[in-house]
Amino acid sequence: MKFATIQLDGRRAVAVIDPDKKRVWPLESLLGEPVDDLLDVIRRYDEIKGRINVEGEGIGLSRVRLEAPIPRPARNIFCVGKNYHDHAREFAGSGYDSSATSAADAVPALPIFFTKVPESVIGPDEAILYPAASASRSTTRSNWRW
């Protein structure tokens, strides 16, 4: 079962999503009770999982806007970079990886950890907003090297 945070008719909701069928079912409708957000679902999952029965036609995915699963996390998001070999090799060839000189050393010996601030979380189709200072630069791409 997959969950998503959606925007439906101007209202944020948590839904069960079936990407193959391109359908969603708002959890409030399935459970018959309010659902605050995906964190609420995670906290109460053992209590509610037996009552989540996807029935009926649902709502077409084209009628909703997908948002970030947890739109505003309470704290920084803990991340692991280069967390699988194919990604590490792809990143090494991107021109943005200052830690690898070739595909041979693309996979780090130790994990690379970093965090992202809650304000950086966006949904799948949302634009990346750059600070005003970035817009005044003459560069056309972000420079993440230090």
Side-chain angles (χ1 to χ4, degrees):
M1 187 173 321
K2 296 179 180 181
F3 297 102
T5 299
I6 62 169
Q7 189 76 225
L8 174 64
D9 299 329
R11 188 172 168 269
R12 180 176 284 160
V14 177
V16 173
I17 183 170
D18 185 330
D20 296 330
K21 293 181 180 177
K22 297 185 177 10
R23 313 295 292 171
V24 298
W25 293 262
L27 271 180
E28 286 189 357
S29 299
L30 297 177
L31 295 173
E33 65 185 63
V35 175
D36 294 335
D37 54 25
L38 197 51
L39 289 175
D40 182 33
V41 173
I42 292 167
R43 280 189 290 272
R44 298 190 306 137
Y45 187 71
D46 285 340
E47 169 199 333
I48 64 175
K49 67 183 176 185
R51 296 187 291 137
I52 303 173
N53 298 311
V54 176
E55 297 174 346
E57 191 174 316
I59 298 167
L61 194 53
S62 62
R63 281 200 45 218
V64 303
R65 181 171 59 99
L66 292 176
E67 293 192 348
I70 300 172
R72 188 59 67 164
R75 295 180 181 86
N76 280 20
I77 300 161
F78 191 75
C79 309
V80 179
K82 298 186 181 182
N83 56 337
Y84 57 96
H85 290 194
D86 288 346
H87 172 65
R89 287 187 197 93
E90 176 188 356
F91 188 58
S94 70
Y96 290 102
D97 187 358
S98 62
S99 66
T101 57
S102 70
D105 68 348
V107 179
L110 297 170
I112 297 171
F113 298 107
F114 61 97
T115 66
K116 291 191 174 203
V117 296
E119 294 80 10
S120 68
V121 174
I122 59 173
D125 295 320
E126 292 181 56
I128 298 172
L129 302 177
Y130 295 97
S134 297
S136 66
R137 287 184 168 169
S138 59
T139 182
T140 58
R141 65 179 188 156
S142 295
N143 183 354
W144 299 104
R145 295 183 185 167
W146 298 102

